[in-house]
Amino acid sequence: MTDSSSFLQAFFDRSVEKKINERMFYRDYVFPYDVVMGYIRRVIDTPISEFVEFLRNNISISYLDYADIVQFSSIRDASFGICDKLRNTSDEGYSFVEIGKMLLRDETAKKEGAYRKYGENHAKTAREFGLVQLLYSKTYMASLGIVYPDLAEKDQLKLLRRLILRNRYFSLIIKLSKDSTIRLDSQMDFLSESTKVRRLSNVKKCWDILMTEAQNETNLKMAVVI
C-alpha cells in the first residue's frame, strides 16, 4: 500500500483521530496540537477526487441506519458553533440539554425539550463529521474539533467537505454513482415518509457544500440527481 493510500485508508477509518480521541479522556494527556493541525493540513491539501476514487474502490458500506442520515437546523452550529463553545469549557462532558443551551444562548429562552432536541441533533451531526465525541449521551471534544475553530473559514469548509465524504450515507451514494446515475434520496426508503422529508433538506445542504468543490474535480454532479 502506497503512502497516499495508507493515508486515505486512515482518514476513512478515522484511525489517527481515534487514538488521540481515546487519550483525550485522560486529564493529564497533552494534546498534540501540531500533529493534529498537520494531519488536517494534509486532508485539506488532498484533492477531493482522490478521496472519491479511494472511497469507490476500497470502502465497503454494508448497511445504513438512522444515525447515518444527519439532522440539523444549522450546519454552522453542527461544525464551528459546537466546537467553539466546547473548546471554551473544561470538556467534562455535556448533556444534550446543556449543548442546546450553549448553542442557543443568544436566543429567546426555550423549553427543556427544545434545548434537548437541538443539542442532540447538532451533537450527533458533529459526531458524524468527527468533530465531537459522544459517550453515555454526554458530548466531549474530539481532536479535529479542538483545532477546527482555528482554521481560516475557507479551510473549515474544505475540511468539512472531506468529512462529509466519510459519512456512511454519502459514502454509499458516491459508491453507487460510480457506474450509473442515482438519486440523492434513493437510499432513504427505510425512513418514514415524514422523516425522509425532514432529513432530505439536510442531506441536500451537505451535498451542496460538497459539490462547491467536488463538481470541478469529479463526475458527481452528473452521476447524482437531486
Side-chain angles (χ1 to χ4, degrees):
M1 184 177 285
T2 66
D3 178 61
S4 176
S5 61
S6 295
F7 167 73
L8 291 167
Q9 186 68 60
F11 174 77
F12 282 104
D13 288 347
R14 310 189 186 201
S15 56
V16 174
E17 300 155 52
K18 285 177 180 176
K19 288 180 181 179
I20 297 174
N21 291 345
E22 290 170 1
R23 294 168 183 168
M24 287 171 61
F25 286 107
Y26 295 93
R27 295 309 173 188
D28 60 347
Y29 180 62
V30 178
F31 182 73
Y33 185 94
D34 291 342
V35 172
V36 176
M37 179 62 84
Y39 172 77
I40 288 174
R41 287 296 175 193
R42 183 167 183 185
V43 170
I44 288 172
D45 290 341
T46 301
I48 278 188
S49 57
E50 293 189 23
F51 290 100
V52 170
E53 181 180 3
F54 186 86
L55 190 166
R56 284 174 163 170
N57 295 326
N58 298 279
I59 303 300
S60 175
I61 309 295
S62 57
Y63 69 93
L64 293 174
D65 61 32
Y66 289 95
D68 296 318
I69 305 180
V70 293
Q71 184 173 355
F72 55 83
S73 301
S74 165
I75 191 67
R76 182 172 175 80
D77 275 353
S79 53
F80 175 85
I82 194 168
C83 294
D84 186 55
K85 296 296 186 183
L86 284 175
R87 202 171 65 155
N88 291 310
T89 70
S90 58
D91 194 27
E92 295 295 330
Y94 295 89
S95 69
F96 293 141
V97 171
E98 290 169 325
I99 294 295
K101 288 181 177 180
M102 287 180 193
L103 294 174
L104 297 173
R105 182 173 297 165
D106 298 328
E107 296 195 13
T108 304
K110 302 180 184 301
K111 293 182 178 179
E112 184 170 295
Y115 284 123
R116 179 181 296 106
K117 191 63 176 176
Y118 196 88
E120 180 177 3
N121 286 345
H122 291 80
K124 288 183 175 180
T125 299
R127 177 187 59 184
E128 281 300 301
F129 297 153
L131 297 173
V132 305
Q133 306 184 73
L134 294 183
L135 183 64
Y136 303 119
S137 296
K138 295 281 189 177
T139 305
Y140 300 83
M141 291 297 299
S143 54
L144 297 186
I146 288 180
V147 178
Y148 190 85
D150 293 336
L151 300 174
E153 187 173 351
K154 64 181 180 62
D155 288 337
Q156 290 177 5
L157 281 171
K158 290 184 74 172
L159 178 59
L160 184 59
R161 290 182 191 114
R162 288 151 176 78
L163 298 179
I164 287 170
L165 281 174
R166 64 186 186 182
N167 166 270
R168 290 170 55 84
Y169 188 81
F170 294 108
S171 291
L172 182 58
I173 289 292
I174 290 168
K175 281 184 66 68
L176 294 175
S177 66
K178 179 181 179 180
D179 299 315
S180 60
T181 300
I182 185 172
R183 289 191 58 84
L184 185 59
D185 63 354
S186 63
Q187 305 303 305
M188 299 174 67
D189 289 343
F190 64 94
L191 300 176
S192 69
E193 191 60 31
S194 60
T195 300
K196 181 177 178 179
V197 169
R198 287 198 304 273
R199 298 204 182 187
L200 182 56
S201 63
N202 296 150
V203 169
K204 288 180 177 178
K205 175 65 175 179
C206 289
W207 190 257
D208 287 344
I209 291 171
L210 176 60
M211 291 307 299
T212 54
E213 185 175 347
Q215 65 180 336
N216 297 321
E217 295 188 26
T218 70
N219 70 339
L220 291 178
K221 186 177 182 179
M222 296 178 61
V224 179
V225 179
I226 296 178

